[in-house]
Amino acid sequence: DVFRSTDGGPTWSRRDSGLFATRVTAIAPRPGVSGDVLTGTTHTLFRTTDGGANWAPSARGIKGQSVGAFNAGTKLRVGFFDGGVYESADGTTWAPLDNAGLRDRIPTQQLSSVFEISEGNRLFVVLERDGVFTSPDSGATWLAQPPSFNPSNRYSDGGFITERGAGPVHYVGTSSGVYKTTD
């Protein structure tokens, strides 16, 4: 179910006509386009252009179902529980990032669930079992993880933040603690 408040939270109205799924997993507005919102579900990706009054599937080009994470940065990006990251300029047509290159950076060669996508000075993707991966060119290529971040027994729980200031500082939460990097 999706609900909307127009008064800061005291009252809510249901806004999920056309949205069919067992669970909503992520939601993000399309930057710069009023009333245009995307929501990820356990079924597929949906979009509304009227502030949530009506929803329709919006997954052209996507080969996945359960949405795990959204990022509304310079482009819209969506990551899936069943692996892979896609991007879109318009929220309708989606293209995969270099998912094969991302898969090549993982010892098992299998993508785990995407829990977080963040865009700062580079693109960051947090995978459930495999750690944090970065791309300096918006997902066209992926860098190897630094040896100091061994994902063994550090399953990423999806918490990732970037602190702005003199230079970007990134933090990732895992089941074995919080890790920090400035590079």
Side-chain angles (χ1 to χ4, degrees), residues 75-121:
K75 291 189 177 182
L76 295 166
R77 293 187 181 89
V78 62
F80 290 86
F81 285 127
D82 45 357
V85 182
Y86 291 76
E87 72 179 14
S88 174
D90 62 7
T92 301
T93 303
W94 297 84
L97 299 184
D98 181 19
N99 291 321
L102 179 57
R103 189 178 300 108
D104 288 345
R105 297 292 182 190
I106 301 168
T108 62
Q109 301 278 305
Q110 294 179 335
L111 292 173
S112 59
S113 300
V114 177
F115 269 80
E116 186 74 37
I117 302 169
S118 181
E119 184 180 15
N121 59 336

Side-chain angles (χ1 to χ4, degrees), residues 4-159:
R4 178 180 179 194
S5 176
T6 57
D7 58 9
T11 60
W12 293 85
S13 60
R14 191 169 177 173
R15 305 285 284 199
D16 58 7
S17 178
L19 187 71
F20 54 92
T22 55
R23 188 173 139 216
V24 171
T25 57
I27 193 164
R30 184 169 161 214
V33 183
S34 181
D36 203 340
V37 179
L38 291 138
T39 189
T41 70
T42 52
H43 180 73
T44 193
L45 185 64
F46 290 86
R47 178 179 177 200
T48 181
T49 57
D50 58 12
N54 298 287
W55 295 85
S58 184
R60 188 178 315 133
I62 292 177
K63 295 178 182 170
Q65 289 184 352
S66 295
V67 174
F70 257 129
N71 175 264
T74 57
K75 291 189 177 182
L76 295 166
R77 293 187 181 89
V78 62
F80 290 86
F81 285 127
D82 45 357
V85 182
Y86 291 76
E87 72 179 14
S88 174
D90 62 7
T92 301
T93 303
W94 297 84
L97 299 184
D98 181 19
N99 291 321
L102 179 57
R103 189 178 300 108
D104 288 345
R105 297 292 182 190
I106 301 168
T108 62
Q109 301 278 305
Q110 294 179 335
L111 292 173
S112 59
S113 300
V114 177
F115 269 80
E116 186 74 37
I117 302 169
S118 181
E119 184 180 15
N121 59 336
R122 58 179 72 173
L123 182 64
F124 295 88
V125 173
V126 181
L127 300 176
E128 178 184 23
R129 292 187 313 260
D130 304 305
V132 180
F133 294 86
T134 63
S135 173
D137 50 16
S138 297
T141 61
W142 296 94
L143 302 176
Q145 287 191 75
S148 61
F149 189 88
N150 179 352
S152 299
N153 297 320
R154 289 177 173 81
Y155 296 105
S156 298
D157 295 326

